[in-house]
Amino acid sequence: MTDAVSQFYQSYNEDSRFERPSRAVEYLTTLHMIDTWLSQLPPASAILDSGAGSGVYALHYAAHGHSVTAIDITPKHIEQIQAKIVQSKQVLSVQAEIGNAIHLSNYADQSFDMVLCLGPYYHLTSTEDRASCLSESMRVLRLGGILIVAYINKYSIAPMLAVKEQGYMRPSVIEKVLQEGVFYDGEEDSFWTDLYVTSPEQMEQDLLSAQAEIVDHAGADGITHTIDGSIDVMDKDTYNTWINYHFQTCRERSILGLSTHGLIVGRKS
C-alpha cells in the first residue's frame, strides 16, 4: 500500500464518514454482516481489524466484550484510536498499532477468530499485494474463523460519476474502470487516491484462490452512495423504510454490482 493512501487519510476526517444518513447505510449493513457471523464464534472473540481507520468497528466490538487488535497504515488513525481508548468509560481490550494489511508477520498463525479487512483491499493496486492481503488474513485466522472483506464494485463507478463527477465521464476513465480497474493518485483519470475496483464475481474468485469458503456476500450501501442527496433529506420513517428495503435486498445477486461497497465473507475450513 502506497504512501499516497496514507497521506490521503492523514488529512481526511475519517471520524465524519458515517455522519450523514446516506453514508450510515454502509455502517449499519457492515455491523449487520459482522454480527451475523460473530454470533457463530466464541462469546469473547479475538478480532483483527486490519485497516481500522479511526476505530469505529474496533471500538464498537471491544465495547461488546471482544478482544480487538486494530492496525492501520495511517499514524493519525492509530493516535485517534488510542485517544478514544483512554477517554472511554469502559475498560476496552483494544491494541492499536501501525500496521499493513499485506504484512501481518507480527501475528502468529491462527491467532484470530475474525479478521475484518474493511478498507485496505480497494487501495491495493497490484495483484500481488491483493493476494498477500487475503493470504495473510487467512493465515492468522483460526480454523472455522471468519474473514470479511470490503471492496468497491466497478459497476457502481459510472452511475456515481454521472451524478457527481461528470468531468470524469470520459472514455479513458470508463475503459479503466471496466478493464484493469486500477487508478493511481495524481493521474489525469484518477478521481480519488490509489484505487482498485472489481466485480462481485472476481472478488469471489479471489477469495476462493485464498482457500476461503464463501459463506456470505452483500452490497454494503446499494445505490445509496449515488443517490445520497435524496437519502439525506428523508424523514425518519422514510429512511427506516429504505434501510429495511436495503437489508432485504443487499444479497440480491442481480443488483449486487451496483452497490458502491461490497462485503464478502469467507470462512477458514
Side-chain angles (χ1 to χ4, degrees), residues 46-269:
I47 301 173
L48 174 64
D49 192 351
S50 182
S54 57
V56 61
Y57 298 109
L59 295 166
H60 174 87
Y61 285 100
H64 284 76
H66 301 285
S67 177
V68 182
T69 299
I71 66 170
D72 200 276
I73 63 168
T74 304
K76 183 183 77 171
H77 289 164
I78 299 305
E79 293 167 5
Q80 289 174 327
I81 295 173
Q82 291 171 341
K84 291 171 185 176
I85 295 170
V86 172
Q87 295 163 6
S88 175
K89 296 179 181 179
Q90 286 182 261
V91 176
L92 301 176
S93 179
V94 183
Q95 178 182 345
E97 56 194 21
I98 293 174
N100 194 321
I102 66 176
H103 302 299
L104 301 178
S105 56
N106 286 347
Y107 311 108
D109 296 358
Q110 301 194 50
S111 298
F112 299 98
D113 299 295
M114 176 175 279
V115 174
L116 304 177
C117 186
L118 302 177
Y121 201 79
Y122 50 79
H123 290 305
L124 298 175
T125 51
S126 80
T127 303
E128 294 76 16
D129 282 352
R130 292 192 295 274
S132 179
C133 176
L134 295 181
S135 64
E136 278 288 88
S137 296
M138 290 295 290
R139 178 184 65 79
V140 300
L141 266 182
R142 292 170 182 150
L143 289 176
I146 294 293
L147 168 64
I148 303 181
V149 183
Y151 65 97
I152 291 183
N153 275 303
K154 65 181 183 180
Y155 303 119
S156 74
I157 301 300
M160 182 273 291
L161 295 178
V163 172
K164 297 182 176 182
E165 296 282 356
Q166 290 190 12
Y168 288 102
M169 279 294 290
R170 52 180 183 262
S172 58
V173 176
I174 299 306
E175 184 69 12
K176 279 191 175 185
V177 167
L178 295 179
Q179 299 304 319
E180 70 266 30
V182 173
F183 294 83
Y184 293 102
D185 191 288
E187 286 187 340
E188 182 181 2
D189 286 338
S190 178
F191 47 88
W192 198 20
T193 186
D194 287 2
L195 176 66
Y196 170 69
V197 297
T198 189
S199 67
E201 292 78 13
Q202 184 60 55
M203 200 64 230
E204 290 179 351
Q205 286 302 311
D206 290 351
L207 247 69
L208 290 172
S209 296
Q211 307 303 310
E213 174 195 3
I214 298 170
V215 293
D216 209 350
H217 199 171
D221 40 20
I223 61 168
T224 298
H225 191 258
T226 301
I227 60 169
D228 56 345
S230 298
I231 302 297
D232 287 339
V233 297
M234 286 178 173
D235 60 42
K236 183 177 179 180
D237 288 343
T238 306
Y239 181 73
N240 287 339
T241 300
W242 176 262
I243 292 293
N244 183 52
Y245 161 79
H246 172 68
F247 275 16
Q248 291 187 66
T249 59
C250 65
R251 293 176 173 86
E252 171 56 48
R253 289 196 68 86
S254 66
I255 57 174
L256 189 58
L258 287 175
S259 181
T260 303
H261 296 84
L263 287 169
I264 188 165
V265 183
R267 178 162 50 206
K268 184 172 183 175
S269 300

